[in-house]
Amino acid sequence: VVLLLLLLVVGLGGLVAASARFVGEVRLGQTTPPGGGRPPSEEQEEDDPGAITTTKTTMMFSADHHSSTTTSLAGGSSEVSSAPFRHTTKPIVTGSSVLGLTYADGVMLAADTLASYGTLAMFKDARRIRKTGSYTLVGGSGEMSDYDHAMDLLDQLATDNANADDGFEHAPEEIYHYLRAVCYQRRNKFNPLWNELVVGGFKDGRSFLGVVDLRGTAYADDVVATGLGAHLALPIMRNKWRPDLSEGEARAILEDCLRVLFYRDCKASDMIQISKANKDETIISPPYKLESDWSSASFVVAKADESGDGGW
């Protein structure tokens, strides 16, 4: 009798342990049958080659988080159903300085025609001053694709005005405020237009000149410069500028500043364009070569204590 009672207690204990283990596996999602074998989900995946599994992943970018759902097929391929945004965080093909000043009769902008791939002087005929509407000029430093996008937005704005057929065109100051809003909105999305944009023009007897940067920061002034020109050219322009400058004097100042940039900025070129907006016209000159002089003592002095070309 004692032996039978002992066997009964041991059997009941084993049954309770097996039941608890099965309940725990069910709660963890492992529905292994009590008799062994594989979970039903594994059997389905092996038996059905077309079975689809969905994995929730979270990806972190520079400033915010984006979630995407990746659907994996049994054959090894994958399909992304909700891809995260890719942000403009590093410019690739860039233009250097844009200069602008007001003079007695209007506004004048100037820039070279070089677009650099990194530090490689790759594109020698990149036009970085363009006309939008009848009264406004827009020059761009920074990423050239973003500058093209900004000009596409302005072209659409001009097209909408033409389609309305009511004779209205935006003034340069309105274009300036529009670009400020666009750049600030893109900055808030952490997907900026990587540019400094110079907006100049003349309408209703009044000239306007302003700058908008990639953060949406904007200001208007009588002399402006972007890129390295803000350090090298702007002091020269401020020193020589006065309200009654003639067109020839304004052009000479801009050419002198572009010459300094050509000497000192490795991403500047001696092929330049100068544009103007006044009461009579808004035009951009064809590219032309800037006169330069490399006979300065600092350029011809022997380097590396050698009389050759300065190589090591």
Side-chain angles (χ1 to χ4, degrees):
V1 174
V2 174
L3 182 59
L4 289 175
L5 290 174
L6 182 60
L7 291 175
L8 181 59
V9 169
V10 172
L12 288 174
L15 182 59
V16 170
S19 300
R21 184 170 64 252
F22 178 73
V23 171
E25 290 174 351
V26 170
R27 287 179 177 175
L28 293 174
Q30 302 172 354
T31 54
T32 303
R38 297 165 299 170
S41 60
E42 294 181 6
E43 293 177 355
Q44 179 184 3
E45 288 175 8
E46 283 196 12
D47 296 337
D48 184 6
I52 299 177
T53 59
T54 302
T55 305
K56 188 74 173 181
T57 61
T58 300
M59 299 182 181
M60 185 177 72
F61 284 79
S62 59
D64 55 344
H65 298 267
H66 291 278
S67 296
S68 64
T69 302
T70 303
T71 304
S72 302
L73 304 179
S77 61
S78 63
E79 178 183 356
V80 178
S81 59
S82 179
F85 293 110
R86 298 188 63 84
H87 302 302
T88 302
T89 56
K90 185 178 180 181
I92 304 299
V93 178
T94 60
S96 189
S97 307
V98 177
L99 312 179
L101 56 77
T102 60
Y103 64 100
D105 297 326
V107 174
M108 194 171 290
L109 270 59
D112 61 44
T113 61
L114 176 64
S116 301
Y117 179 76
T119 56
L120 174 65
M122 191 168 192
F123 303 102
K124 308 292 182 63
D125 192 27
R127 310 297 175 90
R128 297 192 293 115
I129 302 175
R130 302 182 195 176
K131 179 181 175 182
T132 178
S134 300
Y135 309 105
T136 308
L137 298 164
V138 180
S141 296
E143 172 60 47
M144 292 302 298
S145 63
D146 286 346
Y147 175 59
D148 289 338
H149 176 70
M151 295 308 301
D152 287 344
L153 295 177
L154 296 179
D155 289 344
Q156 183 60 51
L157 206 62
T159 300
D160 292 342
N161 288 337
N163 290 339
D165 196 24
D166 56 2
F168 172 79
E169 287 194 60
H170 287 92
E173 191 169 359
E174 293 171 325
I175 298 295
Y176 161 81
H177 286 295
Y178 173 76
L179 289 174
R180 181 203 57 78
V182 168
C183 290
Y184 185 66
Q185 189 268 348
R186 289 289 296 262
R187 171 261 186 195
N188 287 341
K189 296 294 185 182
F190 296 96
N191 188 18
L193 296 177
W194 209 278
N195 296 115
E196 284 185 280
L197 302 171
V198 177
V199 181
F202 191 94
K203 185 181 180 184
D204 298 331
R206 192 163 59 93
S207 58
F208 177 83
L209 181 63
V211 176
V212 180
D213 71 7
L214 73 166
R215 299 172 187 84
T217 305
Y219 67 92
D221 203 349
D222 291 315
V223 289
V224 300
T226 67
L228 201 58
H231 304 278
L232 298 179
L234 198 56
I236 301 173
M237 297 167 66
R238 285 175 174 165
N239 186 48
K240 295 184 176 183
W241 181 85
R242 62 180 195 276
D244 60 344
L245 284 174
S246 67
E247 182 177 320
E249 291 172 325
R251 185 187 190 99
I253 291 173
L254 292 176
E255 288 184 345
D256 287 343
C257 291
L258 289 173
R259 188 175 295 109
V260 170
L261 290 171
F262 176 52
Y263 291 152
R264 300 298 182 184
D265 183 0
C266 67
K267 295 184 180 180
S269 168
D270 59 348
M271 290 297 295
I272 68 169
Q273 284 183 290
I274 291 183
S275 59
K276 66 176 181 179
N278 55 34
K279 64 179 180 180
D280 298 321
E281 56 188 354
T282 301
I283 60 172
I284 305 172
S285 74
Y288 65 94
K289 193 174 183 64
L290 191 66
E291 293 183 6
S292 57
D293 180 12
W294 294 94
S295 63
S296 173
S298 61
F299 296 139
V300 300
V301 65
K303 305 296 191 300
D305 297 326
E306 297 291 340
S307 59
D309 61 358
W312 292 90

